[in-house]
C-alpha cells in the first residue's frame, strides 16, 4: 500500500500530465521524503535557492516578498493543500528567491531534492512536460491574481473568504490586506459587510 501522502502527490501530478509512466512513478517514490514543519517555520528564506520541490499534503503557508532596497516584507501569495510552493524566479530557474515562505500552521510536505529530480530527467521524458505544465498552471494563477484587481476590493476579499473560510484563523490580518493590496482599515470595513 502506498503512503497516502505519496498517493495524493501522484494523483495531482497525473492531473498536470496524465501520461506519466508506471516506471516514473516507481522511481519517484524511491526519491520522495516526508517532513512536517511547525507553524511559523520558514521553508524557504529570502535569497535562498530552493533545494527541494515541495508538495503540501496538509497545511498552508504565506509567501512574503522582500523589497531589496528597504527589506520591507509584503504578503503576495498564499499556499494551501495540494499546492507546490515555490517562488518566481526561484525553483525552476535556480535563482535566489526574492521572497520567503512561512508556514501558517503545522504543515506536512512531500518533497524531493531538486538535484535528484534533475538526475531523473534523462531517463524520463515526461519530466519536461510535467514541470512545464506545473509552471504554466502557477503562471496562469499569477495572471488571474493580477486580473482580479480589475474588480472591487470587496469582490477580491469575498472570493478569498469563500475559497478559504478559515483564512482569518490562519493568516495575520495585515498579510491578508497586503495580499489584496488594501489597507487594514479597508479590510476591516469590508469584513463587517
Amino acid at each position: 500500500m502506498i503512503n497516502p501522502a505519496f498517493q495524493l502527490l501522484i494523483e495531482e501530478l497525473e492531473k498536470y500530465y496524465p501520461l506519466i509512466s508506471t516506471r516514473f512513478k516507481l522511481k519517484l517514490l524511491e526519491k520522495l521524503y516526508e517532513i512536517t514543519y511547525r507553524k511559523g517555520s520558514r521553508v524557504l528564506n529570502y535569497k535562498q535557492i530552493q533545494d527541494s520541490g515541495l508538495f503540501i499534503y496538509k497545511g498552508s503557508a504565506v509567501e512574503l516578498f522582500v523589497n531589496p532596497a528597504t527589506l520591507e516584507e509584503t504578503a503576495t501569495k498564499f499556499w494551501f493543500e495540494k499546492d507546490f510552493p515555490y517562488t518566481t524566479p526561484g525553483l525552476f530557474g535556480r535563482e535566489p528567491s526574492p521572497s520567503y515562505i512561512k508556514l501558517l500552521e503545522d504543515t506536512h510536505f512531500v518533497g524531493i531534492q531538486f538535484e535528484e529530480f534533475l538526475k531523473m530527467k534523462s531517463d524520463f521524458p515526461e519530466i519536461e512536460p510535467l514541470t512545464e505544465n506545473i509552471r504554466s498552471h502557477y503562471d496562469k494563477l499569477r495572471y488571474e491574481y493580477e486580473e482580479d484587481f480589475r474588480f472591487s476590493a470587496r469582490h477580491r476579499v469575498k472570493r478569498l473568504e469563500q475559497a478559504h473560510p478559515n483564512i482569518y484563523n490562519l493568516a495575520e490580518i495585515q498579510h491578508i490586506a497586503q495580499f489584496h493590496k488594501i489597507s487594514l482599515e479597508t479590510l476591516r470595513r469590508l469584513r463587517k459587510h
Side-chain angles (χ1 to χ4, degrees):
M1 185 70 181
I2 295 177
N3 175 316
F6 292 2
Q7 182 64 44
L8 184 63
L9 170 62
I10 296 293
E11 288 169 10
E12 287 301 305
L13 292 177
E14 286 179 321
K15 290 178 185 175
Y16 289 102
Y17 191 70
L19 303 176
I20 294 173
S21 67
T22 302
R23 196 170 71 89
F24 171 73
K25 292 177 199 172
L26 292 172
K27 189 64 169 178
L28 186 63
L29 289 172
E30 289 176 18
K31 305 288 185 183
L32 295 175
Y33 64 87
E34 285 184 275
I35 191 162
T36 300
Y37 291 110
R38 306 293 291 176
K39 174 182 177 177
S41 299
R42 291 187 186 191
V43 293
L44 181 67
N45 289 308
Y46 172 53
K47 291 190 175 179
Q48 180 184 356
I49 295 177
Q50 191 169 347
D51 60 3
S52 289
L54 296 171
F55 171 74
I56 299 178
Y57 176 60
K58 298 281 184 195
S60 55
V62 61
E63 181 176 326
L64 293 122
F65 172 78
V66 180
N67 182 310
T70 64
L71 299 183
E72 183 181 351
E73 301 172 356
T74 307
T76 56
K77 174 93 178 112
F78 291 106
W79 301 95
F80 298 99
E81 290 176 9
K82 299 184 184 178
D83 276 337
F84 296 88
Y86 69 92
T87 60
T88 301
L91 179 65
F92 294 107
R94 312 309 296 141
E95 295 179 48
S97 172
S99 307
Y100 68 90
I101 296 175
K102 184 171 87 169
L103 302 184
L104 299 174
E105 57 189 315
D106 293 356
T107 299
H108 188 86
F109 291 98
V110 175
I112 183 169
Q113 289 291 319
F114 198 72
E115 292 305 317
E116 290 291 330
F117 192 65
L118 288 179
K119 284 179 194 170
M120 293 171 60
K121 263 182 134 174
S122 59
D123 293 329
F124 299 97
E126 57 260 60
I127 287 180
E128 193 64 39
L130 173 64
T131 53
E132 280 307 307
N133 289 348
I134 291 172
R135 187 166 24 188
S136 294
H137 170 73
Y138 287 107
D139 285 347
K140 182 180 173 210
L141 290 182
R142 268 189 291 279
Y143 175 76
E144 288 172 359
Y145 168 73
E146 292 300 329
E147 285 291 294
D148 234 15
F149 287 96
R150 295 179 301 142
F151 299 103
S152 69
R154 175 176 309 224
H155 166 86
R156 298 194 311 273
V157 168
K158 293 300 172 198
R159 193 163 128 159
L160 181 64
E161 290 172 351
Q162 288 168 357
H164 302 284
N166 200 29
I167 191 69
Y168 295 104
N169 295 324
L170 294 172
E172 295 177 30
I173 194 164
Q174 71 263 25
H175 289 160
I176 298 170
Q178 288 169 354
F179 174 75
H180 291 301
K181 300 182 182 178
I182 58 176
S183 68
L184 270 174
E185 294 71 26
T186 300
L187 179 57
R188 288 190 179 109
R189 181 172 45 79
L190 291 172
R191 287 188 70 197
K192 290 177 184 173
H193 297 289

